[in-house]
Amino acid sequence: MIGDLQGKVAFITGSAGGIGLGMARAFAEAGMKIAMADVDAEALEQAASDLEASGATVLAVPLDVTDPAGWAAAAEKVQAALGPVQLLCNNAGVSTLGLKFGQITPELWTKVVDTNVNGAFNGIRCFLEPMVAAGGGHIVNTASMGGLFGGIPDLTAYTATKFALVGLSESLRAELAVDGLVGVSVVCPGGVRSRLWRTSLRARGVADADAVPSSAGGQSASPDGMDPYEVGLRTVDAVHNNELYVITHPEFRAAIVYRHDQLMAACDHGEAVGAELHPNPDENGTARLDGTLLVETLTGGNPKPPAL
């Protein structure tokens, strides 16, 4: 695992503002050298300059996370200037705030998936092997509460990608746990004051604006949202403790429990239907396959899942 953060290098995408900048501040305070990446080169330069003025070691790296060649060039630049990256924070993201599914064009859907999901894939593919070679590290993927429960209108593309990031993080963590060199966390925030509404306008091809259009809205535009620096602090804590889920807004517990209860009810119904369709499951001399073996594998034979 990554161990002591002091003097090690963090690479953080979407860090010209919002949650990414909050992470950059928090990990800099923990003693890390920070490579700040963002597609908005002008905003990135200003954010990096401000963080550097606080005493942090900072490198600004303009990057479109959808471009694999851009990732390769960025990795080379960071390695030469700061050293090996041992913390990767895949934070860059866009949304389709305010758009119903029927209003989302194929081009916009692809843009959201490319940025939110493929961007994370590109980052992991770029840094995972060097991270292992450096002795270990940690990967952080920024998802959302929208990746833990659905049912939120006008956010289909965003929710789909955030569910994907949760699944990616869970599976990658299990895969990497075999060697124990790289940890994985997934950040699932609720409302945070960020630039998401603004970057999402650009993704939709809408002109930039200083005021939030009524069609954009969303919790990222609310002055009552969490300070992104606090999300950064909670992420530092998760990396220190190798936690899988970073829940910044536990007040959403009821929504998570509601979805869980729906899944359990569906399992009960599936069991009842199965009993009707297969009243004699062993009549052919073979037992039907079920999830018991997989559950035992996931929990180490313990009926209670291990601490994540």
Side-chain angles (χ1 to χ4, degrees), residues 145 147-150 163 247 249-266:
M145 275 293 165
L148 297 178
F149 57 84
F163 263 84
I247 304 297
H249 293 69
E251 58 267 32
F252 283 96
R253 181 192 305 267
I256 297 172
V257 170
Y258 175 70
R259 180 171 186 270
H260 172 270
D261 288 345
Q262 287 184 305
L263 290 170
M264 294 303 98

Side-chain angles (χ1 to χ4, degrees), residues 45 111 127 240 264 269 296:
E45 197 61 43
K111 176 69 173 178
F127 284 118
H240 272 305
M264 294 303 98
H269 181 68
E296 290 180 352

Side-chain angles (χ1 to χ4, degrees), residues 7-11 33-36 57-61 70-87 126-136:
K8 292 177 180 174
V9 179
F11 189 99
K33 294 179 283 188
I34 310 296
M36 298 175 65
T57 300
V58 181
L59 178 68
V61 186
W71 275 99
E76 185 176 343
K77 180 177 180 180
V78 174
Q79 173 71 38
L82 302 178
V85 170
Q86 291 185 264
L87 172 67
C126 179
F127 284 118
L128 178 56
E129 188 173 327
M131 198 178 286
V132 171

Side-chain angles (χ1 to χ4, degrees), residues 136-160:
H138 204 97
I139 296 166
V140 176
N141 296 318
T142 300
S144 166
M145 275 293 165
L148 297 178
F149 57 84
I152 307 172
D154 305 339
L155 282 176
T156 49
Y158 181 77
T159 300

Side-chain angles (χ1 to χ4, degrees), residues 50-122:
D50 291 344
L51 185 58
E52 190 172 38
S54 72
T57 300
V58 181
L59 178 68
V61 186
L63 174 67
D64 177 352
V65 297
T66 68
D67 178 18
W71 275 99
E76 185 176 343
K77 180 177 180 180
V78 174
Q79 173 71 38
L82 302 178
V85 170
Q86 291 185 264
L87 172 67
L88 169 64
C89 296
N90 287 310
N91 174 74
V94 295
S95 181
T96 53
L97 295 172
L99 292 185
K100 296 187 180 301
F101 181 80
Q103 297 174 296
I104 301 172
T105 64
E107 294 77 17
L108 180 55
W109 177 275
T110 299
K111 176 69 173 178
V112 175
V113 173
D114 277 350
T115 302
N116 296 2
V117 182
N118 295 342
F121 168 80
N122 288 336

